């Protein structure tokens, strides 16, 4: 039987990923694992799904090519840069991609503030977004520190 890790911000599609594809085995490193095993990527994915399902649909049509597009690009940038950094050979190069992801997290925080200031979303949605951004930021900062500790040891 296959277990699935399902995120809570999916309204219309099954976003579950089989646990064997995203969970690190107790035995340690396995060649079959990839960026989806990273807690930082998983948290960023949860944030992205929240934004797609809970924030973007609340934006008015006049924001379709403005704020909506900016939120979409920043949210995608976070997970994409984590995955691209993971695929790089050198730690220093990887860290640069993770830092770009961190910058996109701060950009999303600003966009969420704008959504609230313009009264497109209510305080509870903004607070949940801030919580998810902080969760993503903390795990990404932890991973950056871990990778940086490997520089010079390889």
């Amino acid at each position: 039987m296959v277990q699935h890790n399902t995120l809570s911000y999916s309204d219309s599609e099954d976003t579950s990923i089989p646990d064997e594809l995203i969970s690190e085995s107790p035995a340690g490193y396995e060649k079959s694992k990839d960026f989806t095993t990273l807690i930082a990527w998983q948290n960023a994915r949860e944030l992205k799904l929240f934004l797609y399902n809970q924030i973007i649909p609340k934006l008015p049509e006049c924001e379709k090519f403005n704020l909506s597009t900016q939120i979409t690009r920043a949210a995608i940038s976070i997970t994409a840069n984590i995955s691209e950094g993971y695929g790089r050979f050198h730690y220093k190069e990887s860290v640069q991609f993770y830092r770009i992801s961190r910058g996109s997290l701060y950009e999303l925080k600003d966009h969420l503030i704008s959504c609230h200031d313009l009264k497109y979303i209510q305080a509870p949605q903004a607070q949940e977004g801030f919580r998810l951004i902080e969760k993503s930021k903390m795990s990404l900062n932890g991973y950056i520190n871990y990778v940086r500790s490997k520089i010079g040891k390889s």
Side-chain angles (χ1 to χ4, degrees):
M1 180 175 160
V2 175
Q3 301 246 342
H4 289 81
N5 180 0
T6 305
L7 296 175
S8 59
Y9 292 109
S10 174
D11 290 335
S12 60
E13 294 183 30
D14 179 17
T15 59
S16 61
I17 298 175
D19 280 342
E20 66 271 6
L21 294 179
I22 62 171
S23 299
E24 199 67 54
S25 83
Y29 177 77
E30 292 182 27
K31 290 181 180 179
S32 64
K33 302 299 179 188
D34 63 8
F35 63 88
T36 62
T37 64
L38 300 174
I39 299 298
W41 182 86
Q42 293 171 12
N43 289 341
R45 179 175 182 254
E46 181 181 15
L47 171 61
K48 178 174 60 177
L49 292 172
F50 169 78
L51 294 166
Y52 267 78
N53 293 309
Q54 302 296 322
I55 303 300
I56 293 172
K58 296 188 182 321
L59 300 180
E61 186 65 28
C62 66
E63 292 291 357
K64 182 177 181 181
F65 298 108
N66 295 316
L67 196 51
S68 178
T69 301
Q70 292 296 317
I71 292 170
T72 300
R73 288 175 189 237
I76 290 171
S77 173
I78 297 166
T79 54
N81 278 296
I82 292 171
S83 62
E84 186 167 357
Y86 188 89
R88 297 298 171 142
F89 184 73
H90 297 288
Y91 290 128
K92 285 183 181 180
E93 189 177 13
S94 295
V95 169
Q96 184 57 32
F97 284 92
Y98 305 143
R99 287 177 176 158
I100 292 168
S101 290
R102 186 171 54 198
S104 293
L105 280 167
Y106 281 98
E107 180 183 354
L108 276 176
K109 186 172 184 177
D110 179 70
H111 294 328
L112 207 54
I113 291 168
S114 294
C115 287
H116 185 259
D117 288 349
L118 297 169
K119 304 199 183 332
Y120 297 151
I121 62 171
Q122 299 298 314
Q125 285 113 4
Q127 290 167 356
E128 177 64 4
F130 296 145
R131 185 190 71 75
L132 292 170
I133 288 168
E134 191 62 25
K135 179 180 171 184
S136 295
K137 188 173 55 173
M138 289 176 63
S139 61
L140 183 57
N141 282 337
Y143 188 62
I144 289 170
N145 289 336
Y146 168 76
V147 173
R148 287 182 63 213
S149 75
K150 299 295 182 186
I151 295 173
K153 295 180 182 178
S154 58

